[in-house]
Amino acid sequence: MMKEDLSADTEGRLLRNNLYDNTLTTPKIIPITTKHGYVSVTQQGLPNRTAIVTYHDLGHNSASQFHDFFAMPDMIPITAHFTIYHINAPGQEDIANPLPTASIYPTLDQLADTVNDVFDYLNIKSAIGFGVGLGANILVRFALKYSSKINGLILVNCSTRGVGWLEGFSLKWPTKDIPEQRWTESLLNYLIWHLIGSTSESTQYELANDLRDHLENNCNVRNVIKLLNSYLKRTAILIAQSNKKMKPSQSLQCSVINITGSSSPHKDDVIDTNNQCDSATTSYVEFSDCSGAVLDEKPAKLAESIRLFLQGLGYISHLSIPQYSISNRLAEQTADYKRQHGSFSKVPRRVSTQIDSGHYINDDPTDFEEELQSPTI
């Protein structure tokens, strides 16, 4: 029996037990001491395979952001062929002990160095990086400094800009005057905006409520504030295109895919990041009718994009789109079309049902089919 379409089910996903736990997807915890403090790394997939290293966003950790995603049916073929290591920033794992009040939290550049410590500890020679938001920023810093250790970058909502005055102003107030180190409404609202976006919270209220519950029940507020303040002090990342005469440390030496949602609060930042990268080795993917929570709102489409990116790097070339992925994709496309043209509109027929590589045949496409083949998925 086909599994339920997870792309439409986000309610309680951050807090419920994984529905597909098995020896392949059940996380294994690996504690690692780095130059800048203790980090908790979790492992999924089979050992001794090509490594995928993930890094989470603000307010998230490996459990809330990645574990369920890599355990969903669309991702199982990828999980089965890679060893996935999820890095938690210091103090961000579920129910973490509070970091000492006087301790100085690592900067984003220092957090990038802790990624290298994890590579050394786990004897990872090279890997594919997969980061979201803050984690994407850290992995870009790591890839620029340790270019030989990254084969490709999957970046979701990645901003390489420094903190602008408006963001600095909006970030100052949530973290101001919290001597009790407790959750405040302004802090929760900021983090939910950062993860979803103000335009989507009204329509994604169940996901917003799940995020709020996750933050209040699973995360240590003192530790989250320390990470948030490091993010607030971030410097801009200057990326030079590799066709210019620049040092390797100034350009990304690997293929990159930049991913965002059409209503993501970080869409402009992602476009700016994408424009800095070498167009010959960089792809831009924008999911329509999607906010910043790409992994929760469009998991089937994201899984397909990741599979195609990995195949472009020479991995898992034998895999084709499984039937449930086709079903999920068509269901999402139908729903998108009806939202744009009315619930009683007749959805145009696709050109062909024969899908081998994730693309559609381009013989005299209709307007709807042209939309499906544009960069906005």
Side-chain angles (χ1 to χ4, degrees):
M1 180 179 295
M2 187 179 297
K3 298 289 187 183
E4 183 182 7
D5 180 4
L6 297 183
S7 64
D9 177 20
T10 58
E11 183 176 4
R13 195 179 83 76
L14 295 173
L15 299 176
R16 72 180 181 224
N17 291 328
N18 196 304
L19 298 179
Y20 304 100
D21 276 347
N22 53 54
T23 56
L24 184 68
T25 61
T26 300
K28 171 188 174 184
I29 300 175
I30 307 172
I32 299 176
T33 300
T34 73
K35 298 183 184 69
H36 300 286
Y38 161 86
V39 299
S40 174
V41 176
T42 57
Q43 176 187 331
Q44 288 179 292
L46 298 174
N48 303 318
R49 302 293 178 95
T50 301
I52 295 177
V53 175
T54 75
Y55 213 113
H56 59 84
D57 201 354
L58 277 169
H60 271 299
N61 53 43
S62 64
S64 63
Q65 188 134 75
F66 292 113
H67 290 176
D68 279 355
F69 178 72
F70 277 91
M72 61 177 286
D74 298 75
M75 284 297 293
I76 285 296
I78 295 174
T79 306
H81 287 86
F82 292 86
T83 306
I84 301 101
Y85 296 106
H86 308 289
I87 301 177
N88 291 287
Q92 306 305 309
E93 63 272 12
D94 281 350
I95 321 299
N97 292 324
L99 297 170
T101 304
S103 65
I104 299 175
Y105 203 85
T107 65
L108 297 195
D109 285 319
Q110 290 172 332
L111 289 174
D113 287 333
T114 67
V115 174
N116 187 56
D117 292 338
V118 170
F119 271 56
D120 290 343
Y121 182 90
L122 297 173
N123 196 29
I124 302 173
K125 302 302 181 184
S126 63
I128 294 128
F130 180 5
V132 181
L134 164 104
N137 184 292
I138 291 170
L139 289 181
V140 169
R141 294 173 189 271
F142 172 78
L144 289 171
K145 189 171 183 179
Y146 305 96
S147 59
S148 64
K149 296 188 176 184
I150 286 290
N151 294 333
L153 281 174
I154 302 165
L155 305 176
V156 178
N157 291 326
C158 181
S159 172
T160 53
R161 295 172 175 173
V163 179
W165 72 268
L166 181 60
E167 183 183 9
F169 179 81
S170 64
L171 275 169
K172 180 180 178 180
W173 291 104
T175 58
K176 183 181 179 181
D177 298 330
I178 313 179
E180 301 87 0
Q181 298 292 313
R182 59 181 178 82
W183 289 110
T184 64
E185 195 64 21
S186 59
L187 179 57
L188 288 169
N189 287 340
Y190 169 77
L191 288 172
I192 291 173
W193 170 85
H194 173 84
L195 296 169
I196 302 178
S198 57
T199 59
S200 293
E201 186 173 350
S202 59
T203 57
Q204 295 289 348
Y205 61 91
E206 291 178 347
L207 179 56
N209 287 337
D210 286 344
L211 287 168
R212 184 180 295 266
D213 289 342
H214 161 69
L215 291 167
E216 292 180 325
N217 297 324
N218 291 345
C219 300
N220 185 291
V221 62
R222 177 192 297 177
N223 300 353
V224 173
I225 289 174
K226 283 181 175 291
L227 178 59
L228 176 58
N229 284 330
S230 286
Y231 186 68
L232 174 60
K233 297 173 185 177
R234 73 184 184 273
T235 56
I237 304 174
L238 300 179
I239 304 173
Q241 296 187 9
S242 59
N243 58 353
K244 297 181 180 180
K245 294 182 179 180
M246 294 289 183
K247 297 178 181 178
S249 61
Q250 294 176 306
S251 62
L252 291 171
Q253 305 295 304
C254 62
S255 296
V256 180
I257 180 170
N258 284 298
I259 302 170
T260 190
S262 59
S263 60
S264 168
H266 312 291
K267 176 180 172 180
D268 290 343
D269 292 330
V270 175
I271 293 174
D272 179 72
T273 298
N274 191 73
N275 290 340
Q276 289 190 66
C277 298
D278 189 344
S279 59
T281 56
T282 304
S283 302
Y284 173 81
V285 177
E286 180 184 314
F287 296 132
S288 62
D289 193 30
C290 179
S291 70
V294 175
L295 278 73
D296 298 285
E297 296 182 61
K298 301 293 182 181
K301 288 183 178 180
L302 179 58
E304 183 181 340
S305 297
I306 291 173
R307 180 186 65 81
L308 292 172
F309 178 72
L310 293 175
Q311 288 180 332
L313 296 178
Y315 300 104
I316 55 174
S317 57
H318 63 287
L319 291 182
S320 59
I321 301 177
Q323 185 61 44
Y324 47 72
S325 181
I326 298 173
S327 175
N328 287 352
R329 184 179 177 84
L330 293 180
E332 289 174 350
Q333 291 169 346
T334 299
D336 287 344
Y337 186 85
K338 287 183 176 294
R339 275 190 289 268
Q340 294 176 28
H341 301 279
S343 58
F344 295 102
S345 301
K346 183 179 179 181
V347 180
R349 180 179 63 85
R350 284 194 311 111
V351 177
S352 173
T353 58
Q354 297 178 353
I355 304 177
D356 294 322
S357 61
H359 298 288
Y360 296 91
I361 298 173
N362 192 21
D363 292 333
D364 192 22
T366 65
D367 291 341
F368 178 54
E369 287 151 357
E370 287 178 348
E371 179 183 334
L372 297 184
Q373 297 189 40
S374 70
T376 301
I377 299 179

